[in-house]
Amino acid sequence: EAGVAQSPRYKIIEKRQSVAFWCNPISGHATLYWYQQILGQGPKLLIQFQNNGVVDDSQLPKDRFSAERLKGVDSTLKIQPAKLEDSAVYLCASSPKQGRTDTQYFGPGTRLTVL
Amino acid sequence: ELKVEQNPLFLSMQEGKNYTIYCNYSTTSDRLYWYRQDPGKSLESLFVLLSNGAVKQEGRLMASLDTKARLSTLHITAAVHDLSATYFCAGRMIKAAGNKLTFGGGTRVLVKP
């Protein structure tokens, strides 16, 4: 079974530029999550989708971050404009709709450096 | 709001010895996850603990959950170099919207020969 795919793996941009990340979840997984992991910290949930609807975006800085999940499969996360403090690894995860444990499966992440 | 704290933040282990990582959480959580992260890699699911007294074991790792004490532990038996990684615990609030997880800050483990 293919895992969660993310691209790009690395991105370096100047502050005030825009950037977008892409995620393809595990086939059949209805729920998709975007996390931000700052160096030395645990991941923090930014947004959660159930199919193509938003379940929780309470920690998404909506003035600069946006995310969408078209057709309930792939998702993109955008930052516009980026700030220095956005430097982090952005992790995408997915979990199946059914399942007692609702384990989240993580992708490899995109490491963003904002200069 | 659920808060999750791990300690220690860093653990230097000697091969062959036993160690424990502690995960405390602030409010009622209906499940507790343990993940492993190797440097530069993503998170790998280790255990999911669903009820009070739950114990799960895989190889040299054993996780347990005490919901009354709001404490989970990850015990490492006879540490080996391959276990060097950062370990995260994460909790989910009961009746949380969706399946939102709150992660601890991680415990970085380094096993020395």
Side-chain angles (χ1 to χ4, degrees):
Chain A
E1 178 181 78
V4 177
Q6 291 187 246
S7 68
R9 293 295 311 279
Y10 305 91
K11 190 75 178 178
I12 301 173
I13 61 172
E14 303 271 338
K15 61 182 178 183
R16 291 188 288 273
Q17 284 187 322
S18 301
V19 64
F21 312 128
W22 173 82
C23 172
N24 179 242
I26 293 173
S27 178
H29 281 194
T31 311
L32 185 148
Y33 315 80
W34 283 103
Y35 287 86
Q36 180 192 58
Q37 186 178 21
I38 293 172
L39 185 65
Q41 299 181 17
K44 182 183 84 171
L45 180 70
L46 293 176
I47 189 167
Q48 177 188 344
F49 293 94
Q50 179 76 21
N51 296 310
N52 59 350
V54 175
V55 173
D56 186 345
D57 64 356
S58 57
Q59 297 188 99
L60 186 74
K62 298 180 185 66
D63 58 334
R64 297 184 300 105
F65 286 64
S66 64
E68 61 182 5
R69 189 182 185 196
L70 300 176
K71 301 180 182 178
V73 182
D74 293 3
S75 177
T76 56
L77 176 70
K78 296 179 182 178
I79 307 175
Q80 180 180 10
K83 293 186 175 181
L84 296 177
E85 59 261 35
D86 298 331
S87 294
V89 176
Y90 291 85
L91 295 165
C92 179
S94 68
S95 64
K97 184 178 180 180
Q98 303 293 333
R100 187 161 177 252
T101 62
D102 292 331
T103 297
Q104 297 180 25
Y105 298 89
F106 285 80
T110 296
R111 182 177 298 274
L112 173 67
T113 302
V114 182
L115 302 176
Chain B
E1 183 185 342
L2 176 64
K3 292 190 191 313
V4 179
E5 287 189 2
Q6 287 180 238
N7 69 83
L9 297 181
F10 178 73
L11 197 45
S12 179
M13 300 183 180
Q14 284 189 330
E15 280 193 331
K17 293 195 174 179
N18 303 334
Y19 297 88
T20 301
I21 300 170
Y22 298 90
C23 175
N24 292 91
Y25 53 96
S26 62
T27 187
T28 308
S29 175
D30 68 346
R31 56 193 64 181
L32 198 294
Y33 298 80
W34 283 96
Y35 283 88
R36 168 183 170 144
Q37 186 175 39
D38 290 288
K41 302 291 178 66
S42 192
L43 284 84
E44 173 192 352
S45 176
L46 294 174
F47 302 109
V48 182
L49 304 167
L50 298 177
S51 58
N52 188 43
V55 177
K56 289 200 173 178
Q57 184 164 4
E58 180 75 32
R60 300 174 187 274
L61 301 178
M62 183 176 72
S64 64
L65 180 62
D66 181 345
T67 57
K68 294 180 181 177
R70 295 179 185 166
L71 171 69
S72 179
T73 58
L74 181 66
H75 188 73
I76 298 173
T77 301
V80 292
H81 180 69
D82 286 352
L83 292 179
S84 295
T86 299
Y87 294 84
F88 292 95
C89 64
R92 188 187 88 156
M93 279 182 65
I94 289 181
K95 298 181 182 177
N99 190 33
K100 177 181 177 180
L101 296 185
T102 299
F103 282 82
T107 297
R108 187 176 165 212
V109 167
L110 180 62
V111 182
K112 298 179 178 179

